[in-house]
Amino acid sequence: GAVVSQHPSWVICKSGTSVKIECRSLDFQATTMFWYRQFPKQSLMLMATSNEGSKATYEQGVEKDKFLINHASLTLSTLTVTSAHPEDSSFYICSVTGDGEQFFGPGTRLTVL
Amino acid sequence: DAKTTQPTSMDCAEGRAANLPCNHSTISGNEYVYWYRQIHSQGPQYIIHGLKNNETNEMASLIITEDRKSSTLILPHATLRDTAVYYCIVRPTGGFKTIFGAGTRLFVKA
């Protein structure tokens, strides 16, 4: 199966700062990546679909100006949480599709103080 | 909204088979049944998927009813490391926009 990495694995930041999370597909080119977030004891919630070379498609209720997604290459998508607040603290997970399957990254835990 | 219904939690004794049910009564003809699991603080892990025939791999078996309205994931010999949340998902062929439901929290006990 595909290997998906995320960086950083965890991050702590102050309220009002911006945080960038990277998602990399290590062994194949991914034209589409997905971003999810997960609050404690809840299921994964799809945030957006990231398409290489074009604008991301956001799910209803997800602020596109707050969660900036860039998919500049076939192996890298980034999620930037702008002006983070404590309520943005969550587990962020990316996913890539390839070989007819969907594979998930290990997740990034964001804590906003 | 998720298209599947699963029990909130289940217990299983170590070494015994864990049978996790899933109801997907509104499944469409082109939708597959997928199972993923998520161990605490990790990303979801693919387990198995099927369309209408029963499937088996090194991790588990998937039994789909003839009318395709429900399925059961079977872990033949559960270990403590199988403690996780198991998600049953229906998804069309070639579609990867996976919507997760609440899943089943499986506790494997020694």
Side-chain angles (χ1 to χ4, degrees):
Chain A
V3 178
V4 182
S5 70
Q6 286 185 235
H7 178 80
S9 55
W10 60 270
V11 56
I12 301 172
C13 70
K14 293 182 179 180
S15 184
T17 61
S18 295
V19 175
K20 180 184 286 186
I21 301 170
E22 294 184 348
C23 174
R24 292 184 184 274
S25 173
L26 300 182
D27 51 1
F28 65 86
Q29 297 177 333
T31 56
T32 303
M33 294 184 179
F34 300 90
W35 285 95
Y36 294 81
R37 75 178 161 185
Q38 185 176 34
F39 294 109
K41 297 188 177 181
Q42 294 187 22
S43 187
L44 287 80
M45 186 193 80
L46 179 65
M47 299 176 66
T49 302
S50 169
N51 299 297
E52 187 267 336
S54 64
K55 292 182 179 180
T57 302
Y58 291 82
E59 295 298 305
Q60 189 174 11
V62 178
E63 301 176 57
K64 62 180 182 180
D65 294 330
K66 180 169 184 62
F67 299 99
L68 302 179
I69 292 173
N70 184 283
H71 192 160
S73 78
L74 291 172
T75 59
L76 174 64
S77 175
T78 61
L79 168 68
T80 301
V81 183
T82 62
S83 186
H85 291 287
E87 58 265 30
D88 298 322
S89 297
S90 188
F91 193 50
Y92 291 86
I93 302 168
C94 72
S95 170
V96 304
T97 59
D99 293 339
E101 281 308 325
Q102 185 174 15
F103 303 94
F104 293 84
T108 296
R109 185 162 303 281
L110 169 64
T111 301
V112 185
L113 302 177
Chain B
D1 292 336
K3 301 179 182 179
T4 63
T5 304
Q6 299 177 250
T8 302
S9 66
M10 295 182 63
D11 289 346
C12 177
E14 187 178 22
R16 305 297 294 269
N19 298 284
L20 291 87
C22 178
N23 182 290
H24 33 78
S25 58
T26 60
I27 191 171
S28 300
N30 68 338
E31 290 182 320
Y32 282 73
V33 180
Y34 283 80
W35 283 84
Y36 292 85
R37 73 179 182 185
Q38 185 180 25
I39 295 171
H40 183 63
S41 293
Q42 297 182 24
Q45 175 190 22
Y46 166 82
I47 301 173
I48 198 168
H49 76 282
L51 183 62
K52 56 182 179 180
N53 297 322
N54 297 337
E55 302 288 344
T56 296
N57 62 21
E58 65 278 5
M59 289 184 67
S61 294
L62 174 60
I63 308 298
I64 303 175
T65 58
E66 191 169 344
D67 62 8
R68 303 210 321 125
K69 293 184 177 182
S70 65
S71 61
T72 301
L73 177 73
I74 301 173
L75 307 179
H77 305 287
T79 70
L80 298 178
R81 288 177 294 181
D82 292 322
T83 292
V85 178
Y86 287 77
Y87 297 100
C88 168
I89 291 157
V90 295
R91 199 170 72 199
T93 308
F96 296 103
K97 186 176 174 180
T98 299
I99 306 299
F100 287 84
T104 295
R105 192 171 296 272
L106 175 68
F107 295 95
V108 180
K109 300 181 177 180

